[in-house]
Amino acid sequence: MENATSDLQYQKEIYAKARHKYKPRQINTLLIAEAPPCNLDRYFYFEDVKKQDSLFLEIMGVLYPEKKQRYLKNGRRTDDKIELLEMFKEDGYLLLDLHEVPDDLGTVSDEESVPALLKRLENLVDKSTPIILIKANVFDLCYAVLKANGYNVINERLPFPGSGQQKVFREKFASVVTR
């Protein structure tokens, strides 16, 4: 059990380190998704992801469409992803996950993750910071609780941009970031 705990802590630290590198000085908009991908080669903030990076691609496609197209045209070069992540940071965006490690590790239930998320938010964002929830189950779990705790959570149920939901995600995400 001790090895499993240290492995989980190690994974949390890897994700936190990657995310922290691109944490803005002032968070203007917080995005909350469900969890890092199960594949340890992929994560929104990992700089060298060559496939199955739909959340990153769809968010960047809305925020920085020309830069995203260049990134894809250039074969997803690491330098181009770093540039996109830097722009995301400079514009005050931060992406967090409800679960700090991939869902398949099953360490904490969805319901247990919400109080832990509230604790993380206390020192991270001002209550007036807009929060966008990504994925229907994340919205269902978090919206009412965040709202009841005084957070400025956007009342829009965005799907995860996979399994054919990319267009719906783009449309809804574009509408909430321009509000």
Side-chain angles (χ1 to χ4, degrees):
M1 186 66 175
E2 190 174 312
N3 278 347
T5 302
S6 64
D7 287 348
L8 284 175
Q9 188 58 38
Y10 176 72
Q11 280 190 302
K12 279 184 186 180
E13 289 170 9
I14 288 173
Y15 296 125
K17 183 178 177 184
R19 182 178 54 250
H20 185 74
K21 182 175 181 180
Y22 296 103
K23 181 181 178 239
R25 291 179 209 260
Q26 172 67 42
I27 299 169
N28 297 325
T29 304
L30 179 66
L31 312 175
I32 301 175
E34 184 176 29
C38 297
N39 184 332
L40 297 178
D41 293 336
R42 298 178 9 240
Y43 179 54
F44 185 91
Y45 286 106
F46 287 172
E47 297 167 344
D48 189 29
V49 179
K50 301 298 185 204
K51 61 182 179 174
Q52 295 180 316
D53 204 4
S54 62
L55 182 59
F56 176 80
L57 291 173
E58 295 303 332
I59 287 172
M60 296 304 151
V62 169
L63 298 175
Y64 319 109
E66 297 84 19
K67 299 279 187 186
K68 176 209 168 188
Q69 288 307 317
R70 189 180 81 198
Y71 170 63
L72 291 174
K73 182 180 173 205
N74 289 340
R76 297 184 185 204
R77 289 182 340 165
T78 301
D79 289 346
D80 291 335
K81 184 163 184 184
I82 290 170
E83 181 182 357
L84 283 162
L85 287 169
E86 287 290 345
M87 291 172 66
F88 190 70
K89 173 185 172 179
E90 291 305 314
D91 288 342
Y93 290 99
L94 182 70
L95 173 77
L96 283 186
D97 290 295
L98 174 61
H99 298 278
E100 295 181 86
V101 295
D103 259 356
D104 68 337
L105 299 176
T107 57
V108 180
S109 73
D110 286 343
E111 290 75 19
E112 293 170 313
S113 292
V114 175
L117 173 66
L118 284 170
K119 194 79 176 150
R120 287 187 283 154
L121 294 180
E122 280 179 17
N123 298 316
L124 186 65
V125 294
D126 184 89
K127 294 215 175 179
S128 66
T129 303
I131 298 174
I132 300 170
L133 303 172
I134 299 172
K135 201 169 180 206
N137 66 322
V138 173
F139 183 90
D140 295 345
L141 285 164
C142 298
Y143 178 77
V145 174
L146 292 173
K147 201 70 165 166
N149 279 275
Y151 286 98
N152 181 17
V153 60
I154 305 299
N155 188 8
E156 185 69 56
R157 203 165 181 256
L158 279 72
F160 186 82
S163 303
Q165 292 295 313
Q166 293 87 338
K167 183 177 185 227
V168 174
F169 175 85
R170 279 191 302 270
E171 290 169 353
K172 288 187 172 200
F173 184 67
S175 77
V176 297
V177 295
T178 57
R179 286 185 191 168

